[in-house]
Each structure stands twice: as structure tokens, then as C-alpha cells.
Amino acid sequence: MTDPYRVCVVCTGNICRSPMGEVILRELVEREGLSDKVIVDSAGTGGWHVGDPADPRTLTALTSGGYDGSGHRARQLSADDLTERDLIVVADRGHLDEVEEMVEAGKGSAQIRLLREFDPDADKDEVDDPYFGDGVGFDRCRDEVEAACRGLVEHLKTVTSQR
């Protein structure tokens, strides 16, 4: 049996965008019957919220979309994540730069991509940070993340079938 393919979704504090990505992607992976082939988690580039649950607005947006994010606890991206994950998907270009710098410093070999690259209908390649906005922004964020995760699942089907 091959090792599972490991995906980590990354944003700034691991309380808004990346928990949405983790929860939604894990659910879609499960629906597609890939749970034994793909492991999903998330992290933040910063450590301010380590141990905290997702932002209440994130949880509300997830619940209204039919997802349960209540078990999420924030954590910070580590050097081990860069070697233990096959793919790291990031919310925006700032995260992309930070994670690439970590990899260039010799701390990992994971592939790094922008999450919205997996949404063929996306009008931009970044997921805007909803943190300083209202619930409408969190719902928009959830919708963007969900569309990208649907495309990511298609990618994962291909990748895992080749392992």
C-alpha cells in the first residue's frame, strides 16, 4: 500500500481561509471515496492564534454551507510540514512567497500552489482575506474556497491514481 497523499492548506493565522479549505477539502475528499488516499490539514504562516478555534464567522459560513468546522484548532506551519506534505496550497501570493522562502532555505520539498489555481472559473488567483469584513465576505470566501477545492479534488483523483 502506498502512503497517503498529504495536502496542507495555508493562510495567515489559520482561523479563516485555511480552516475553510481544510474542512471543505476533507469533506469533498470523503465524498469522492479518497479518504484512504488523501490526508488534509491546515496551518497558518504566523503563530498568533495557535490553539484557537476558527473565527466564529468562519464557523458560521461553513455551517451555512453544510460543513462542520467546530473541531478546528489553529496551528503554525512548520519546517516538518514542508517535508511531510506532498502539496501545500496557499490562499494568496504573500503566503506563496513565505512558504517558497522556507523551502528555498532547505526546509522542505513539498509542491506549493495557489488554491484558486484549481478553479478554472476563478477571476483571480488569490482568496481575499475576509478577516476585517463582515459575514458576507466570509460567505464569499467559502464559495471561492469550495470552487477551488472541487478542482483540487479532480487533481487529487489524478495524482492518487498514478501512485
Side-chain angles (χ1 to χ4, degrees):
M1 175 146 180
T2 60
D3 290 334
Y5 191 84
R6 297 179 61 97
V7 180
C8 185
V9 185
V10 173
C11 72
T12 306
N14 196 217
I15 61 168
C16 298
R17 294 171 285 180
S18 59
M20 284 189 194
E22 176 185 0
V23 168
I24 292 169
L25 183 57
R26 185 178 293 128
E27 175 70 25
L28 297 177
V29 161
E30 186 174 311
R31 289 180 194 170
E32 290 294 328
L34 297 172
S35 295
D36 59 335
K37 297 178 181 179
V38 178
I39 295 174
V40 180
D41 66 356
S42 66
T45 57
W48 316 276
H49 299 288
V50 170
D52 292 346
D55 185 290
R57 297 166 295 175
T58 298
L59 296 174
T60 299
L62 284 169
T63 299
S64 68
Y67 302 100
D68 179 10
S70 63
H72 176 77
R73 293 296 173 266
R75 69 180 194 85
Q76 186 172 6
L77 187 69
S78 71
D80 288 343
D81 291 326
L82 303 177
T83 58
E84 295 172 358
R85 304 304 182 275
D86 297 289
L87 175 63
I88 297 176
V89 289
V90 298
D92 65 36
R93 292 195 172 280
H95 306 126
L96 183 68
D97 292 343
E98 285 185 67
V99 176
E100 284 178 343
E101 284 177 23
M102 291 175 73
V103 169
E104 287 172 9
K107 298 178 183 172
S109 58
Q111 181 183 23
I112 308 156
R113 306 230 349 234
L114 288 161
L115 177 60
R116 291 203 74 198
E117 287 180 35
F118 294 98
D119 179 0
D121 298 322
D123 57 352
K124 59 185 177 177
D125 60 5
E126 296 183 304
V127 178
D128 291 331
D129 190 349
Y131 185 76
F132 294 103
D134 58 14
V136 171
F138 280 79
D139 288 341
R140 176 201 39 78
C141 182
R142 181 207 55 233
D143 293 344
E144 290 176 358
V145 168
E146 186 174 42
C149 285
R150 289 187 189 288
L152 179 50
V153 166
E154 293 306 311
H155 172 75
L156 293 171
K157 285 179 186 178
T158 301
V159 170
T160 58
S161 71
Q162 298 171 353
R163 291 184 99 179

